[in-house]
Amino acid sequence: MDASDRRQRASEEAASWWVRIGAGELERTEREEFVDWLRESPVHVAEMLRIAKVNDALDQFQGWLQVNTDGPDDEENVVALPELPKSESRPALPRTAHKRYWTGLIAAGAALLVLGPIGLFLGYRAHVIETDRGERREVALTDGSVVEVDPESRLRLAFEEHTRRIFLERGRALFKVAKDPQRPFLVEADGATVRAVGTAFGVEHRKQDIVVTVVEGKVAVSGKETSLPGPASAGVTTLVPAAQSPQDLLLIAGEQVRMPLSTSTQPLGKESVRKVDSERELAWARGQLVFDDKTVAEAVAEFNHYNRIQLRVADAAIGMRTVSGVFDASDPESFIAFLQTDTTVHVTRSGSEMILQ
Amino acid sequence: MTHPDPKTRLTDWFRQWRSPLRKFLKGKRAVGASDLDDVAQEVFLRLMRYERTELVENPQAYLYKMASNVAAEWAIRSPRAKPHDSHWLTGLTSDDDPERSFSQRQVEEEVRRAIETLAPRQRRMLKLHHFEGLEYGEIAQRLSATPRSVKRVLTKSYASLRQKLDAQLLGDITDGRE
């Protein structure tokens, strides 16, 4: 099914929903079905909006009196539309099992920059996703997985027949993996590999280390030596199933591992795994900054990573103060307002810079 | 919204999503064709960020409200945020602009042409619904058809009009009409 077939199918489904909705209140199960359908693809959303426009055009149309409605009442030209396909019979995009969880986690708020819609949605095979300072992106991949990319990150995608592979070259990203046992989802960072089948986890490629945090399901983490030799392999060299290799480290939901860059060739010990509040640890993925006794200078550096407006601390005493709290990454002003609650901070603006003193 | 009287509930049901729909269609920043996919992409992302249980309460209301919000937000944001939106902003000219009314005539013509490609039965039902304002059930009675077949014929008609109406036009159709 190519893109235009898919779109046509989507508009038929949208038309069907429009009519069902127009006929009266939908049952709860129907509304659930409608929500799931909308959340399956931006194309569905677009077609629903277009069908609304078609209806509006018909409501506004001035020439109805001249429209000839005579003619045979047979339905020869009216081909019956198939019933709305059930979700399991639709091959288009696998539905992720954990959307519901995610909608909660990624609660509204973050300002996202959005890529061109359709091409992106259908077209990522081997590609690079790169974000600038202040730019966050949510990218829907061809397999139904979704990646939330933090600012100043770079990912290279290599989706092959038997593997879905992503190289996190720098920065960090949160992966919500669509389940596909036949095609493991691999994220590589500095030689370390995180392997997942259908789960959600964050990977951060930082200056000193690689941090993997699991929100849902489980993943296997391996150091450099177990990197996969070829695309035909479904797992490690010896085709051991996920997380069975001795060097592998199995992480479950709520666990995190930090691997120093220099030693990521060494076997990972179970002792390097710690229990974390994954929602808090991955706050960055929904555009929040969590500070726990951070200095203002450190906090400012974090804000600058997310915004075009750059903060600069011109008074060392302010820079050394510590702050704790949760902030909207795209809103440095509220951070400044917070600072001003117990000290006088003078803010001078010059161009895209805000100087605190 | 749990009224005991089903009739009141039905009215509420329509009112609650028809008004966001009107806002989406008639907002000062009615969405142009080239932006519709972009708007849909952003709406899609917002839908993903909401609780499913919340959306299920009244999905259409959320859908159209988000769509009109996105359109409005993009219109007030700086050009940097949405580099190609300038063309449709400049397209929002006043109602008595001659060029604009010419394009409205074109819209009429285009819609007429599209309607005429449909089967007589489809045209009859569309006219009863969109011109005479009959509900599906009333159309069924008038034409001695089953409600099911009315719905089927209308569904087919909308999908087919959607394919026939020129893409650019679908975006422009409502611009500047209010």
Side-chain angles (χ1 to χ4, degrees):
Chain A
M1 186 151 77
D2 69 18
S4 87
D5 287 344
R6 203 170 306 191
R7 190 171 273 277
Q8 181 163 353
R9 176 134 172 210
S11 45
E12 283 166 8
E13 289 169 2
S16 169
W17 277 116
W18 177 272
V19 169
R20 282 167 78 176
I21 289 162
E25 188 167 1
L26 296 179
E27 296 293 327
R28 185 175 183 87
T29 52
E30 292 178 295
R31 280 179 276 144
E32 281 170 355
E33 207 186 317
F34 181 50
V35 166
D36 291 342
W37 177 80
L38 283 174
R39 298 211 299 189
E40 219 166 76
S41 158
V43 177
H44 293 174
V45 175
E47 289 311 294
M48 202 62 213
L49 297 179
R50 286 201 169 88
I51 292 294
K53 290 208 160 222
V54 166
N55 267 269
D56 187 50
L58 296 172
D59 285 339
Q60 308 254 359
F61 182 57
Q62 304 291 310
W64 281 113
L65 282 174
Q66 287 81 49
V67 170
N68 179 14
T69 55
D70 294 336
D73 207 22
D74 64 42
E75 289 194 51
E76 264 169 44
N77 298 323
V78 188
V79 181
L81 196 73
E83 292 295 299
L84 266 185
K86 292 277 170 273
S87 54
E88 52 275 14
S89 69
R90 188 178 306 148
L93 292 158
R95 190 181 300 209
T96 52
H98 34 259
K99 269 176 188 165
R100 203 177 308 191
Y101 175 86
W102 277 103
T103 50
L105 186 69
I106 314 163
L112 292 172
L113 265 179
V114 179
L115 293 178
I118 307 306
L120 168 147
F121 194 76
L122 305 170
Y124 266 109
R125 290 211 189 281
H127 229 291
V128 170
I129 305 170
E130 196 163 10
T131 52
D132 279 337
R133 168 168 293 206
E135 181 190 15
R136 300 178 67 242
R137 237 185 240 187
E138 181 166 291
V139 181
L141 306 178
T142 46
D143 67 330
S145 301
V146 175
V147 186
E148 302 214 2
V149 188
D150 216 43
E152 297 180 279
S153 302
R154 185 181 160 93
L155 289 85
R156 200 152 45 78
L157 274 65
F159 275 28
E160 287 146 10
E161 204 185 332
H162 299 288
T163 52
R164 298 172 282 173
R165 210 187 280 235
I166 294 185
F167 300 89
L168 178 64
E169 296 181 346
R170 66 164 181 272
R172 54 191 182 182
L174 184 76
F175 303 91
K176 292 173 265 173
V177 181
K179 212 174 192 98
D180 186 353
Q182 306 310 313
R183 245 174 128 204
F185 192 97
L186 308 167
V187 178
E188 296 187 27
D190 189 47
T193 306
V194 182
R195 188 163 61 252
V197 180
T199 178
F201 59 97
V203 180
E204 302 170 62
H205 189 161
R206 311 198 298 189
K207 281 200 188 94
Q208 339 71 358
D209 55 9
I210 307 284
V211 182
V212 180
T213 314
V214 180
V215 217
E216 193 180 271
K218 51 189 172 184
V219 304
V221 182
S222 53
K224 254 173 198 155
E225 311 208 303
T226 54
S227 309
L228 301 175
S233 159
V236 201
T237 333
T238 48
L239 286 176
V240 202
Q244 295 288 299
S245 158
Q247 297 97 329
D248 281 3
L249 199 58
L250 184 70
L251 295 188
I252 58 165
E255 289 187 334
Q256 182 179 71
V257 65
R258 290 167 190 253
M259 298 169 277
L261 290 189
S262 50
T263 59
S264 58
T265 52
Q266 287 166 17
L268 296 156
K270 191 72 191 163
E271 63 281 359
S272 47
V273 176
R274 57 189 198 115
K275 279 262 167 227
V276 293
D277 174 353
S278 58
E279 223 175 292
R280 188 178 168 90
E281 291 292 313
L282 295 170
W284 51 266
R286 48 180 197 277
Q288 287 183 345
L289 296 176
V290 181
F291 301 134
D292 211 348
D293 254 350
K294 281 258 170 108
T295 65
V296 169
E298 286 171 316
V300 158
E302 288 275 307
F303 271 107
N304 287 347
H305 175 61
Y306 283 92
N307 293 286
R308 285 192 174 78
I309 299 283
Q310 298 288 294
L311 306 180
R312 187 157 66 80
V313 182
D315 178 345
I318 295 176
M320 274 151 52
R321 286 187 45 209
T322 59
V323 283
S324 297
V326 181
F327 299 90
D328 177 351
S330 60
D331 186 12
E333 310 230 355
S334 68
F335 173 69
I336 293 172
F338 174 78
L339 289 183
Q340 283 172 326
T341 54
D342 67 344
T343 351
T344 332
V345 179
H346 293 288
V347 183
T348 327
R349 282 164 198 270
S350 94
S352 63
E353 207 178 46
M354 287 173 81
I355 301 156
L356 314 183
Q357 53 198 358
Chain B
M1 37 173 274
T2 42
H3 293 282
D5 178 6
K7 204 154 187 181
T8 321
R9 237 182 59 217
L10 200 61
T11 322
D12 277 357
W13 158 255
F14 281 114
R15 204 188 54 226
Q16 281 183 8
W17 63 272
R18 288 269 162 93
S19 131
L21 171 64
R22 288 205 74 70
K23 219 171 138 209
F24 162 65
L25 293 168
K26 309 296 175 197
K28 278 247 154 54
R29 313 295 185 193
V31 181
S34 53
D35 303 292
L36 205 132
D37 283 325
D38 290 351
V39 169
Q41 173 79 13
E42 175 65 25
V43 169
F44 172 75
L45 296 180
R46 290 184 188 195
L47 286 169
M48 299 289 271
R49 292 201 292 268
Y50 268 71
E51 286 285 1
R52 182 169 177 266
T53 49
E54 201 177 330
L55 295 171
V56 162
E57 284 304 311
N58 201 329
Q60 311 81 266
Y62 277 104
L63 172 69
Y64 300 122
K65 189 153 176 45
M66 284 175 186
S68 69
N69 285 351
V70 169
E73 283 165 31
W74 280 353
I76 54 175
R77 230 185 270 168
S78 65
R80 186 195 66 208
K82 196 75 184 33
H84 57 280
D85 66 2
S86 52
H87 76 91
W88 69 272
L89 275 183
T90 53
L92 291 170
T93 46
S94 67
D95 283 23
D96 51 8
D97 180 78
E99 230 176 296
R100 194 80 226 168
S101 30
F102 176 60
S103 101
Q104 273 184 41
R105 273 207 302 280
Q106 284 184 318
V107 168
E108 281 288 305
E109 202 36 57
E110 200 68 34
V111 173
R112 179 197 320 282
R113 236 197 311 256
I115 291 172
E116 267 155 21
T117 64
L118 300 174
R121 186 181 170 84
Q122 290 178 299
R123 279 180 261 161
R124 252 194 308 272
M125 289 190 186
L126 287 175
K127 187 173 175 180
L128 288 174
H129 186 57
H130 292 277
F131 182 62
E132 296 192 29
L134 298 192
E135 296 303 332
Y136 303 152
E138 297 168 321
I139 298 173
Q141 280 182 350
R142 180 82 68 94
L143 299 179
S144 323
T146 63
R148 198 182 131 82
S149 85
V150 172
K151 287 195 233 171
R152 198 183 58 227
V153 172
L154 286 177
T155 299
K156 179 74 189 166
S157 310
Y158 295 141
S160 134
L161 289 173
R162 144 74 183 105
Q163 304 304 329
K164 272 159 193 149
L165 287 173
D166 177 62
Q168 186 56 48
L169 194 83
L170 261 193
D172 289 346
I173 250 162
T174 51
D175 281 9
R177 285 210 180 186
E178 259 185 25

